[in-house]
Amino acid sequence: MPEPRRRRPSLPEQLGLCWDVPGLMAGVDEAGRGPLAGPVIAAAVILNDAVCIRGLADSKVLSPATRERLYDEIRAKALCCSVGEASVEEIDRLNILQATLLAMRRAVDGLRLVPARVLIDGNRLPVLRMPAQAIVGGDAVVQAISAASIIAKVHRDRLCLQLDALHPHYGFAEHKGYPTRDHLAALRTHGACVAHRRSFRPVREVLGLSAFEDDAT
């Protein structure tokens, strides 16, 4: 009588790229709500509590050189980081607030690890699949949000250098798209380029466009 056929041992299921980890917290912040050009950027960061990163703070109070150094250190030492963005077209279609929330959601969804909760700088929350809390001034008091603010700011500044190379008449490398006197003068002289947000008042005034909803919405 033939021996019964032995069943091969089952193999463990392969882990996916993302998995939930109880207790992990992600910090989220954005860069680029105020500029007249370019995408709005958000970053999400889960720090490693066992690894210290000295000097984390709101990116706006740090020098460019310090932000660059901390950007590399955060990337090297954090458990994971993710950057999300909303395009100029999405900003013009949705308004800047909704586009910012969209970029934040994309940043959180892009994390390799799924946090148990999310802390977000500001007073508005995107729709997320985990508990979240908005903290006004969070980039100055929550290290993970500080780290996210640095990642978002450096990432966007680098995009502005690329915009400057493509559209050198506007000075994007210097003002990063903000409505400085030089930027407004360049708009009046050269008109708007494809990177400018048509829903923002100074741009639509130069182009002679009809009124949109308030760009600060």
Side-chain angles (χ1 to χ4, degrees), residues 39-120:
V40 62
I41 302 297
V45 177
I46 301 177
L47 293 176
N48 185 345
D49 291 338
V51 179
C52 178
I53 302 176
R54 298 188 183 279
L56 291 175
D58 174 6
S59 64
K60 294 186 290 294
V61 305
L62 301 173
S63 69
T66 300
R67 287 196 297 264
E68 288 284 345
R69 175 181 61 79
L70 286 170
Y71 177 93
D72 292 337
E73 189 171 359
I74 294 164
R75 285 286 193 183
K77 294 181 177 179
L79 291 179
C80 58
C81 305
S82 173
V83 172
E85 72 174 62
S87 67
V88 171
E89 292 77 16
E90 288 171 322
I91 292 169
D92 288 341
R93 176 165 50 85
L94 300 173
N95 76 40
I96 185 58
L97 171 60
Q98 294 305 318
T100 300
L101 297 177
L102 176 61
M104 288 179 171
R105 179 168 61 80
R106 286 169 173 168
V108 173
D109 288 347
L111 288 168
R112 178 177 57 85
L113 304 174
V114 180
R117 62 192 179 107
V118 176
L119 301 183
I120 296 176

Side-chain angles (χ1 to χ4, degrees), residues 16 19 31 36 80 127 132 136 139 191:
W19 56 93
L36 305 179
C80 58
V127 177
V136 175
D139 49 5

Side-chain angles (χ1 to χ4, degrees), residues 17 26 37 58 110 118 141 151 187 191 212:
L17 293 178
D58 174 6
V118 176
V141 295
I151 294 293
L187 263 175
F212 284 69

Side-chain angles (χ1 to χ4, degrees), residues 173-189:
E174 287 74 36
H175 53 63
K176 307 301 188 293
Y178 284 92
T180 64
R181 181 181 301 176
D182 288 344
H183 190 185
L184 294 176
L187 263 175
R188 289 190 292 269
T189 300

Side-chain angles (χ1 to χ4, degrees), residues 109-179:
D109 288 347
L111 288 168
R112 178 177 57 85
L113 304 174
V114 180
R117 62 192 179 107
V118 176
L119 301 183
I120 296 176
D121 182 62
N123 60 3
R124 301 294 292 269
L125 292 173
V127 177
L128 299 173
R129 52 191 171 128
M130 69 283 292
Q133 179 182 354
I135 302 176
V136 175
D139 49 5
V141 295
V142 179
Q143 285 203 322
I145 299 179
S146 298
S149 76
I150 293 166
I151 294 293
K153 173 64 173 168
V154 172
H155 184 91
R156 192 178 190 282
D157 284 355
R158 291 177 179 180
L159 289 180
C160 286
L161 293 178
Q162 297 175 22
L163 283 180
D164 188 71
L166 292 171
H167 310 284
H169 300 304
Y170 299 96
F172 289 125
E174 287 74 36
H175 53 63
K176 307 301 188 293
Y178 284 92

